[in-house]
Amino acid sequence: MTGSAVRPPAYQQLADDLRADITSGRLQPGERLPPEPELCVKIGVSRSTVREALRLLASQHLIVTTRGVTGGSFVAHPDAAKLADGLSTGFALLTHSAHVGLADLLELRRALEVPAAGLAAVRRTDLHLTELRGTLFDPAIDDFDTMMAAHAAFHRAVAKATGNPLFELIGSPLYQASYGEEVIGGLPEGYWNRIDADHRMLLDRVAAQDAEGATKAAAQHLDFIAAAVR
């Protein structure tokens, strides 16, 4: 019938209902979901439908399922790195569409990275500094994909050092959605040397717990990128 609403599959409806319980807080991290037979009776669906719904929620990192006598499906404890996977597809689609360009991406990066640098300087631990140092690269390699991966790893580490998982949640898919060489085009000579120098300067300010210096270094870093990739 024209204009009639199409009902989603039963497994999708069940997954949506359970997701709403999880995201609203009615089901807390670590809490066990009702057993599969109980869900079958309560919802009035087959066991295969319940299992498909649970598989969907597990793929979205909302639940974990274990086997054995004490096994079952439990609400997952939030993990920024895993949850970011769900945002990556949307970021990638938008940043490769006609509606979002490099300027938009850099605008978002500025809104996130400048305050994140200041927070990282205040809150960083020795483990965070070790992780940041591990992302530094040799600009002499001059391989675009390697450099982009190292650049993304550095900024994800800065986001993590803020101690605020929301920065990490938003930052991870943002860097995964970075533009490729064919979109950015030719980079100026010495580009990666400057990126490396900027990273080292920002790391020095974070290590020194200099919030003002860190935010300034982050802003200058983005100013350079914006001018270089026009």
Side-chain angles (χ1 to χ4, degrees):
M1 180 177 177
T2 304
S4 61
V6 178
R7 290 178 59 84
Y11 79 88
Q12 180 71 65
Q13 185 61 58
L14 175 56
D16 289 346
D17 291 344
L18 290 171
R19 186 186 302 105
D21 286 341
I22 293 170
T23 57
S24 69
R26 288 190 292 270
L27 287 172
Q28 291 289 310
E31 188 172 344
R32 182 174 182 168
L33 272 61
E36 290 180 8
E38 184 177 325
L39 285 172
C40 292
V41 173
K42 181 179 179 180
I43 309 299
V45 294
S46 67
R47 195 155 188 171
S48 62
T49 295
V50 170
R51 287 179 175 173
E52 187 64 27
L54 296 179
R55 276 195 291 269
L56 179 58
L57 293 174
S59 72
Q60 297 169 345
H61 307 294
L62 293 174
I63 66 169
V64 291
T65 300
T66 60
R67 304 298 176 189
V69 177
T70 60
S73 294
F74 301 83
V75 179
H77 290 274
D79 182 291
K82 291 181 179 179
L83 291 174
D85 292 341
L87 296 176
S88 296
T89 300
F91 266 92
L93 289 172
L94 281 173
T95 55
H96 291 84
S97 74
H99 304 292
V100 176
L102 271 172
D104 300 300
L105 182 65
L106 289 171
E107 186 174 79
L108 177 57
R109 285 189 58 180
R110 183 178 295 277
L112 289 172
E113 290 179 21
V114 174
L119 289 173
V122 173
R123 300 172 178 174
R124 61 59 170 182
T125 65
D126 289 343
L127 287 176
H128 290 138
L129 294 179
T130 298
E131 186 173 353
L132 281 164
R133 293 186 181 107
T135 67
L136 297 176
F137 59 86
D138 178 2
I141 295 174
D142 197 25
D143 176 77
F144 183 84
D145 291 337
T146 300
M147 299 295 97
M148 286 296 289
H151 180 268
F154 178 85
H155 289 288
R156 282 197 297 267
V158 173
K160 186 175 180 180
T162 66
N164 182 339
L166 294 178
F167 277 97
E168 189 179 358
L169 175 63
I170 301 300
S172 291
L174 171 62
Y175 303 124
Q176 289 177 27
S178 293
Y179 288 90
E181 189 171 14
E182 71 284 356
V183 178
I184 292 177
L187 294 172
E189 185 177 353
Y191 177 83
W192 292 115
N193 293 83
R194 172 61 187 272
I195 295 296
D196 174 57
D198 283 355
H199 285 185
R200 292 176 187 275
M201 173 61 74
L202 179 52
L203 173 55
D204 285 346
R205 296 302 87 213
V206 170
Q209 296 189 303
D210 176 4
E212 183 178 354
T215 56
K216 182 178 180 180
Q220 291 176 340
H221 177 57
L222 289 166
D223 287 342
F224 168 72
I225 293 175
V229 300
R230 283 176 182 170

